[in-house]
Amino acid sequence: MKLNTELSDVKTLDHVGSKPSTKPQMKRARASNQKIPKWAYLLFIILAAFVTYRILQHRAGEVKAAQPAARPASVAHVIAKDVPLYLDEIGTCAAYETVQVQAQVSGQIIARDFQDGSDVKKGDPLFTIDPRPYQATLDQAKAQAALDQVTLKRQQDLVARKVISKQDYDIAVANAQKSQAAAEAAQVNLDYCYIKSPINGRVGLRNFDVGNLVGPSTPPLVTIQGLDPIYTDFTVAENDLPLVRKYLGGPNVKVQTYLADGSIAPRTGDLYFIDNAVQPGSGTVKARGVTPNPDRALWPSEFVLVRFILDMLNNAALVPSQAVQVSQSGPFVFVVKADNTVDFRPVKPGQRQDGDLTVIDSGVKPGETVVVTGQLALSPGARIAPQPYATQPPGNPQPSAASKSAM
């Protein structure tokens, strides 16, 4: 029993003594197994980056597919320009001067020196009335005047010598003055035989030919109308009178006249007259402008379009008229931002100008970009594919109700 116990103790001691020698070996083996080469780390990083890139690319594709495609739309810049404040009216032209040439002495027409419808200048001959009777009367009056002058000179010598009375001398003086006046009247009647144009203008259709007997009581021989300049007559509505009175007398008040077919460029003249009362039946006020007409393109009684300019708006913001839309909350435009998305912008539009432009009183500033066409498919924040808008060239102004209602 004692021997067995000793043997077991020896085994136990051997077992216990052997433990310190085996643990370092196990640690070295484990350490050798856990050592990973550097290229494995590099490969792992590359694979992780590739997987991450593919994930992000997939998500970006999903986001891009979820977003709507950019919608095509034409855009234009807000520009600054000096434009007029105006009223558009309809009017007629009237001759600047109208003269009815009348015979002032009786006699037979022996000559006509013009063509119907031709232009004449002041002093050009028109008709000649037979001057022979008036020439004879003038010669007789001159002879009588000469005789009376000789008689007066004799009377002056006699009265100086106190041979005749003062009364006889006074009678001689009166006779000399009377005969001189008769000679001058005869000269005037003779001059009336040669009828000349009193103004520059255009003659109408003559009423008498050569051989007709005319006189002061007969109708006018012909009518002459002055066409350069020419009057432009139009009316201003009663509702526009406060605005007209505000600018009346200002330096920018002008009257533009042009034809509806655009055959002539607008001609700018001055305001000549505005009536002092409203017409009871029509509720309008008569006005008249003076328009240059050197080429005679405007004729009396011709219907014309009139733009009554009241003032000039300096550096007004202008956008194409199609850019202004109307919603339940009022007029608005879509403003394009830097990232090609649009922003809803309420505006206050003003008058429509030539070249399909509209004044914007408030809401946008010069230099900003607005959408001109394609607004129906847009909403705030939508992305667009902008395309430049082809601005229409300015032409003759066309009257519209919007030109008045905008004021």
Side-chain angles (χ1 to χ4, degrees), residues 153-164:
K153 187 176 181 181
R154 292 174 181 172
Q155 296 290 355
Q156 287 175 346
D157 294 338
L158 293 176
V159 75
R161 290 182 294 172
K162 297 181 180 180
V163 176
I164 60 174

Side-chain angles (χ1 to χ4, degrees), residues 60-75:
E62 291 179 350
V63 172
K64 186 176 181 180
Q67 292 180 350
R71 300 183 179 275
S74 60
V75 299

Side-chain angles (χ1 to χ4, degrees), residues 87-98 225-226 229-237 255-258 267 269-275 284-292 298-308:
L87 297 173
D88 278 337
E89 308 290 351
I90 297 176
T92 57
C93 291
Y96 188 75
E97 295 176 298
T98 300
Q225 292 184 323
I230 197 169
Y231 285 131
T232 299
D233 294 333
F234 60 99
T235 58
V236 176
V255 178
Q256 280 188 348
T257 305
Y258 53 97
R267 303 185 175 186
D270 297 322
L271 180 66
Y272 173 76
F273 163 80
I274 188 165
D275 207 352
T284 58
V285 177
K286 293 181 180 180
R288 167 173 282 186
V290 179
T291 304
L298 300 175
W299 284 40
S301 301
E302 183 178 17
F303 281 98
V304 293
L305 301 179
V306 181
R307 174 160 289 184
F308 187 19

